[in-house]
Amino acid sequence: MNNSQVEWGAAEDAAPYGAAASPGCRSPPPLLLLFFLLLHLKTGGASSPCDVMTAASAVSSEVQPNETLTHLKTESDTLKTKLEEERAKLHDVELHQVAEKVDGLGQFIMKTRRTLKGHGNKVLCMDWCKDKRRIVSSSQDGKVIVWDAFTTNKEHAVTMPCTWVMACAYAPSGCAVACGGLDNKCSVYPLSLDKNENLAAKKKSVAMHTNYLSACSFTNSDMQILTSSGDGTCALWDVESGQLLQSFHGHAADVLCLDLAPSETGNTFVSGGCDKKANVWDMRSGQCIQSFETHESDINSVRYYPSGDAFASGSDDATCRLYDLRADREVAIYSKESIIFGVSSVDFSLSGRLLFGGYNDYTINVWDVLKGTRVSILFGHENRVSTLRVSPDGTAFCTGSWDHTLRV
Amino acid sequence: QQAYGCDKRPVVRADPAEARPLTSNPLHAIEDIVTLIQDETDGVPIRTVKSFMTKIPSVVTGTDIVQWLMKNLSIDDPAEAMHVGSLIAAQGYFFPISDHVLSLKDDGTFYRFQAPYFWPSNRWEPENTDYAIYLCKRTMQNKTRLELADYEAENLARLQRAFARKWEFIYMQAEAQVKIDRKKDKTERKILDSQERAFWDVHRPVPGCVNTTEMDIRKCRRMKNPHRVKKSVYGLAEEATQSQSPVHTPLQLCRKGTKEDVKKEILFLNTQLDRHCMKMSKVSESLISYTEQYMDYDPFVTGQEPPNPWTSDDPSLWDLETSKEPGLQRVKKWGFSLEEALKDSAGQELFLKFLESEFSSENLRFWLAVQGLKRMPQQEVAQRAQDIWAEFLAEGAPSSINLDSHSYERTNQNLKDPGRYSYEDAQDHIYKLMKSDSYARFLRSNVYQDLLRKKVNGKSLASKRLTGLMQSS
């Protein structure tokens, strides 16, 4: 099977026989049997498997230092089990049980209030401006458009030199946008008031990865950008100089998404990847401070709960989950039997009571975060919903879709 | 171990023993459903229908499918069942026998299930040569039901132009296929023809229909057929070049751990074990109380005044918020936490004013300066860090702040190599001080309470005026 092949390829330090030579608990692998046979012949008597095992491990310990890879992996697995046990002790109740005392939400009437047409291909990403009405969106055909979503007017348009612009972000000042994708870079474009000015000319290349750019976000200022990439890393960059300020290693596969902690005093962010892990990072040290692995497939989107004490994730396993940082644990899962397509994008309403999820089945499901139930399902897009963000003042949320449109 | 929301029930799997890992086949959830729906005992009634001189083999009605989906996926609303069903059809797992458009209707329309050979999980990427052969052979069959639709005829014409030089070869292949088909039993042919047509409806959809074979490029690399070997539907020898995907890095499965990785992991796990965590009950209470506090401010939950600009088409709400005259709601929010007060520029201003009256404004000014430091371009950081030291911490500094000796020492050390995080300890200490001391007094202070009172009165005055207007008219 493929798996074992890869295992062999990567585990250069593994004992030559592959399997752990733990005494007496497994049938000896073929090479070992040969060894046993030879030993048997040599000694002319009955040598027990134990003798062979000791002899074999004597051989292998001559070849290897004390800590074999398998040894370490066993230690790691033991720790994981122990950690799970410790956490489980604090798992005294479910969130939705405690939330039974909370009033239920009434019926929701959510309608599309604006439809933004103008992209010629799949919309992949969007972000709100702090002014609560402007948005930037990017698409597969390389176009990045800035809209006044309130009037539906296009205000700026840039054509990137690459296709699949998967990431875009609005600068906090509202004076620039960042974007990137298959070009493996994140570039910043200052937005000019002069409509005739060629934005592409003022482009500034900030981030450089070795694979596609999956997400980008300005920190609290126009001066730093945080990026995530298909190369498995995240990175913090100084916009002015393009200097790499910090890199974040730890994901074992593509990183697909990130979100900065909302706190004014915080220096952390969360990222989600194809390794099914959501990692919380300290921006100052580059260290991963917490990690969560309960999803069964790629994590496409992560978003902090407004207080910053928790975050939600959306995955190809068709579920959204809520993780609390203080409990260091998954505290809720949002799923239904009828939802079988992956979640592409999630975001909270202002109070954190509602979680909006954009799905690959073209719908938006609205969840009651505390009670764990779905309060609404919204139809309208004619293809996958690829991106979803709530506006800065929580008055609306915007979705982008493979049907080339955005809706507010 | 897992937490469950109220709606979660485990998905019905056709054969749990054969549950395949998601990453190898992201469509497994759908395929489990498609397998179960065809089950003899638990599935829909698939039968042969007698119709006007002919028999329609192996079909089921749309209504039957909708009903089954509602029952087995716990769906209350038939519209939702139709939506899910339509998506499963659009992916290519079942199809209407008399329509190229793959969607599910809740009526007597007949549907047939697709052969597993043609399932999308087999990673088909049929070439245009195959499509040309298919359309070509269709024209060779003299049956009205197999006539080409307009868009198919257009496609055929285009392909004839594109493959002008190869056309003799394609024609021959089509003839060969027709020969093979003729040998099959009549009923079998009906089924196979329809399945073949449905396959092409997925890979060459009707114009205007969603092409469900389009893939998210980020996921392409790890798919079952990573080098995109294109196998022919009609058994043609492989075409000369394998086309490269734009992201042509070698196949990367999840990096298996090297010794270094595992050692790091062990270190990490040990750190996590030492972490002091909160109980779920406490965490739940905290989340609930935060949300409940802010629900009045959540436009999706509580109606706002002035109304939501998106529904009313009136941007007054935004004009009000940018004005320096904060409304009652905003002023109240400053009382939620120091963070809220500082987030709002008007709140920050008032707090600063208060601190000035207490002669302790240097704390907030220091905190703000450090925030500013962290947001600067890298080049300017070192200088700014020195400036902050001079202003707030040096001996005889004009805005001297009070730090504990430990933080002071650490900061002093940090300044030897000044960076944007040199003041983290100090800033943290000062923030805690403001939070526990000055902020509490601020909330009780005249300057804040007076403002609150003013806003409350202003509000009730406004409503009095309104009612007054209504009464007089």
Side-chain angles (χ1 to χ4, degrees), chain A residues 202-318:
Chain A
K202 291 260 180 89
K203 163 177 159 178
K204 189 178 216 151
S205 230
V206 174
M208 293 264 277
H209 279 278
T210 54
N211 213 313
Y212 65 85
L213 187 83
S214 53
C216 64
S217 173
F218 285 88
T219 61
N220 287 323
S221 86
D222 285 19
M223 295 295 132
Q224 285 103 43
I225 287 190
L226 192 59
T227 58
S228 65
S229 165
D231 66 12
T233 70
C234 300
L236 181 67
W237 310 83
D238 179 65
V239 174
E240 216 182 48
S241 62
Q243 187 189 346
L244 173 68
L245 298 172
Q246 185 64 256
S247 68
F248 305 90
H249 297 261
H251 277 288
D254 305 19
V255 187
L256 296 177
C257 52
L258 59 83
D259 191 35
L260 276 150
S263 165
E264 296 282 293
T265 52
N267 296 302
T268 59
F269 72 95
V270 61
S271 65
C274 293
D275 57 357
K276 312 173 204 168
K277 285 203 191 142
N279 290 338
V280 181
W281 307 86
D282 182 337
M283 283 187 349
R284 300 166 293 182
S285 61
Q287 292 302 310
C288 173
I289 50 185
Q290 278 176 277
S291 185
F292 303 87
E293 191 175 355
T294 60
H295 271 294
E296 294 171 26
S297 186
D298 299 359
I299 297 177
N300 297 313
S301 176
V302 285
R303 198 73 68 205
Y304 271 95
Y305 176 80
S307 74
D309 294 318
F311 68 90
S313 59
S315 159
D316 277 347
D317 68 6

Side-chain angles (χ1 to χ4, degrees), chain B residues 70-83:
Chain B
M70 285 178 70
K71 177 163 165 236
N72 288 273
L73 296 182
S74 312
I75 301 175
D76 299 320
D77 180 10
E80 215 187 308
M82 268 193 286
H83 181 84

Side-chain angles (χ1 to χ4, degrees), chain A residues 335-347:
Chain A
S335 66
K336 264 172 123 40
E337 271 186 274
S338 52
I339 301 175
I340 54 179
F341 287 83
V343 188
S344 64
S345 197
V346 296
D347 204 354

Side-chain angles (χ1 to χ4, degrees), chain A residues 92 224 254 300 305 333 349, chain B residues 3 219 221 281 291 298 420:
Chain A
D92 52 347
Q224 285 103 43
D254 305 19
N300 297 313
Y305 176 80
I333 181 170
S349 71
Chain B
K219 321 269 174 163
R221 289 183 298 163
S281 46
T291 290
D298 188 338
R420 63 183 69 239

Side-chain angles (χ1 to χ4, degrees), chain B residues 36-49 56-69 71-72 108-113:
Chain B
L36 197 64
I37 198 174
Q38 294 177 74
D39 183 77
E40 273 185 35
T41 13
D42 297 325
V44 287
I46 304 170
R47 57 205 203 288
T48 302
V49 169
I56 309 174
S58 189
V59 288
V60 63
T61 66
T63 304
D64 282 340
I65 296 178
V66 171
Q67 291 300 314
W68 188 93
L69 288 172
K71 177 163 165 236
N72 288 273
T109 312
F110 288 128
Y111 293 84
R112 190 169 284 141
F113 287 95

